[in-house]
Amino acid sequence: MNDPTALIGPMAGQAIDLLVHAVERISPESWDHPSNLDGWSVRELVGHATGSAAKIVALVADQPLWAGPSKPQDWVCEDPAAKLRELATRLEEALPAADFDAMRTSPQGEVPLRRALTFPVSDVAIHSWDVQRSLGRPAELPEDLLGLCRALVESMPQEALRRPGGFGPAQPFPPDATPTSRLMAYLGRSVDGPG
């Protein structure tokens, strides 16, 4: 079986680009609407995802990292798309010198950079889908990012996956659901109806 982290550098850039594309399309009146994640507005969802994108850059550039998930309020800014484009540029600049075998801190302890990136890259990819879904737009993850997210989810014990603050119970999906929709339903997202 292929290592889903083999192309983690390009996938990191691709995940941030997906988020930038989703955020650039948010209309001014939609920012404070509820997102598809209970209790979070679209603005808060983007704030959290921006923090995950910043974590990717910090890991690749071997900069100090904060513990735990990114808090939405810490990353809400006046121009979220510009902040994400800045992070994408910083990532692009840092990737050529990255040593993907160098050890980094992750939720699993000290692991090679390629493995440490799995969590935040998957988070950004999943939340790019969430942004699109929150705005009623369909979205599909590229095959490599979908494979990375699926491998991460499959590697997690149910009690860790479904812990408070993690993913909700799996949701139903229609028989003709795409692979992305099936994964999102497994992660507790509603995939029925618009979007």
Side-chain angles (χ1 to χ4, degrees), residues 54 60 68 71 75 87 95 138 150 167 174:
V60 171
K71 296 178 183 162
W75 294 96
L87 290 168
L95 277 173
R150 192 175 315 138
F167 297 103

mmCIF file of all heavy atoms in Angstrom, residues 54 60 68 71 75 87 95 138 150 167 174:
data_model
loop_
_atom_site.group_PDB
_atom_site.id
_atom_site.type_symbol
_atom_site.label_atom_id
_atom_site.label_comp_id
_atom_site.label_asym_id
_atom_site.label_seq_id
_atom_site.Cartn_x
_atom_site.Cartn_y
_atom_site.Cartn_z
ATOM 1 N N ALA A 54 -1.824 27.880 9.657
ATOM 2 C CA ALA A 54 -0.624 28.450 10.295
ATOM 3 C C ALA A 54 0.207 27.362 10.959
ATOM 4 O O ALA A 54 1.447 27.434 10.971
ATOM 5 C CB ALA A 54 -1.038 29.509 11.318
ATOM 6 N N VAL A 60 6.497 23.080 9.044
ATOM 7 C CA VAL A 60 7.449 22.997 7.930
ATOM 8 C C VAL A 60 8.659 23.883 8.190
ATOM 9 O O VAL A 60 9.797 23.483 7.932
ATOM 10 C CB VAL A 60 6.763 23.359 6.587
ATOM 11 C CG1 VAL A 60 7.788 23.501 5.460
ATOM 12 C CG2 VAL A 60 5.720 22.303 6.221
ATOM 13 N N GLY A 68 -2.712 21.855 21.165
ATOM 14 C CA GLY A 68 -4.161 21.760 21.002
ATOM 15 C C GLY A 68 -4.660 22.354 19.702
ATOM 16 O O GLY A 68 -3.901 22.920 18.920
ATOM 17 N N LYS A 71 -7.901 27.858 18.166
ATOM 18 C CA LYS A 71 -9.138 28.489 18.628
ATOM 19 C C LYS A 71 -9.574 29.523 17.596
ATOM 20 O O LYS A 71 -8.771 30.366 17.193
ATOM 21 C CB LYS A 71 -8.917 29.144 19.977
ATOM 22 C CG LYS A 71 -8.581 28.142 21.063
ATOM 23 C CD LYS A 71 -8.321 28.829 22.377
ATOM 24 C CE LYS A 71 -7.920 27.799 23.411
ATOM 25 N NZ LYS A 71 -7.261 28.393 24.542
ATOM 26 N N TRP A 75 -7.649 33.517 15.424
ATOM 27 C CA TRP A 75 -7.263 33.636 14.021
ATOM 28 C C TRP A 75 -8.247 34.432 13.173
ATOM 29 O O TRP A 75 -8.074 34.548 11.971
ATOM 30 C CB TRP A 75 -7.063 32.238 13.427
ATOM 31 C CG TRP A 75 -5.905 31.588 14.086
ATOM 32 C CD1 TRP A 75 -5.931 30.729 15.143
ATOM 33 C CD2 TRP A 75 -4.524 31.803 13.805
ATOM 34 N NE1 TRP A 75 -4.659 30.384 15.515
ATOM 35 C CE2 TRP A 75 -3.773 31.026 14.711
ATOM 36 C CE3 TRP A 75 -3.848 32.574 12.867
ATOM 37 C CZ2 TRP A 75 -2.389 31.007 14.709
ATOM 38 C CZ3 TRP A 75 -2.465 32.549 12.853
ATOM 39 C CH2 TRP A 75 -1.753 31.772 13.765
ATOM 40 N N LEU A 87 -0.003 32.903 4.254
ATOM 41 C CA LEU A 87 0.443 31.603 4.760
ATOM 42 C C LEU A 87 0.844 30.675 3.616
ATOM 43 O O LEU A 87 1.842 29.958 3.718
ATOM 44 C CB LEU A 87 -0.649 30.957 5.618
ATOM 45 C CG LEU A 87 -0.910 31.623 6.968
ATOM 46 C CD1 LEU A 87 -2.196 31.095 7.595
ATOM 47 C CD2 LEU A 87 0.277 31.418 7.903
ATOM 48 N N LEU A 95 8.976 25.134 1.925
ATOM 49 C CA LEU A 95 8.971 23.735 1.483
ATOM 50 C C LEU A 95 10.284 23.245 0.879
ATOM 51 O O LEU A 95 10.702 22.128 1.175
ATOM 52 C CB LEU A 95 7.821 23.495 0.495
ATOM 53 C CG LEU A 95 6.467 23.232 1.142
ATOM 54 C CD1 LEU A 95 5.377 23.192 0.071
ATOM 55 C CD2 LEU A 95 6.465 21.949 1.955
ATOM 56 N N PRO A 138 -21.385 22.714 -3.580
ATOM 57 C CA PRO A 138 -20.791 21.378 -3.569
ATOM 58 C C PRO A 138 -19.267 21.480 -3.617
ATOM 59 O O PRO A 138 -18.713 22.450 -4.145
ATOM 60 C CB PRO A 138 -21.339 20.728 -4.842
ATOM 61 C CG PRO A 138 -21.632 21.885 -5.745
ATOM 62 C CD PRO A 138 -22.013 23.045 -4.857
ATOM 63 N N ARG A 150 -8.705 10.081 4.731
ATOM 64 C CA ARG A 150 -9.272 8.763 5.023
ATOM 65 C C ARG A 150 -8.281 7.926 5.829
ATOM 66 O O ARG A 150 -8.658 7.262 6.800
ATOM 67 C CB ARG A 150 -9.652 8.056 3.725
ATOM 68 C CG ARG A 150 -10.502 6.813 3.982
ATOM 69 C CD ARG A 150 -10.999 6.163 2.715
ATOM 70 N NE ARG A 150 -11.507 7.118 1.785
ATOM 71 C CZ ARG A 150 -11.295 7.099 0.472
ATOM 72 N NH1 ARG A 150 -10.594 6.149 -0.075
ATOM 73 N NH2 ARG A 150 -11.792 8.021 -0.310
ATOM 74 N N PHE A 167 -15.118 14.670 16.263
ATOM 75 C CA PHE A 167 -16.140 14.480 15.241
ATOM 76 C C PHE A 167 -17.402 13.890 15.853
ATOM 77 O O PHE A 167 -17.333 13.057 16.748
ATOM 78 C CB PHE A 167 -15.619 13.561 14.135
ATOM 79 C CG PHE A 167 -14.437 14.154 13.415
ATOM 80 C CD1 PHE A 167 -13.153 13.703 13.677
ATOM 81 C CD2 PHE A 167 -14.609 15.162 12.486
ATOM 82 C CE1 PHE A 167 -12.061 14.248 13.026
ATOM 83 C CE2 PHE A 167 -13.517 15.721 11.819
ATOM 84 C CZ PHE A 167 -12.244 15.261 12.099
ATOM 85 N N PRO A 174 -26.651 9.312 0.931
ATOM 86 C CA PRO A 174 -27.417 8.657 -0.132
ATOM 87 C C PRO A 174 -26.571 7.595 -0.840
ATOM 88 O O PRO A 174 -25.336 7.662 -0.820
ATOM 89 C CB PRO A 174 -27.786 9.800 -1.078
ATOM 90 C CG PRO A 174 -26.851 10.904 -0.768
ATOM 91 C CD PRO A 174 -26.394 10.726 0.652
#
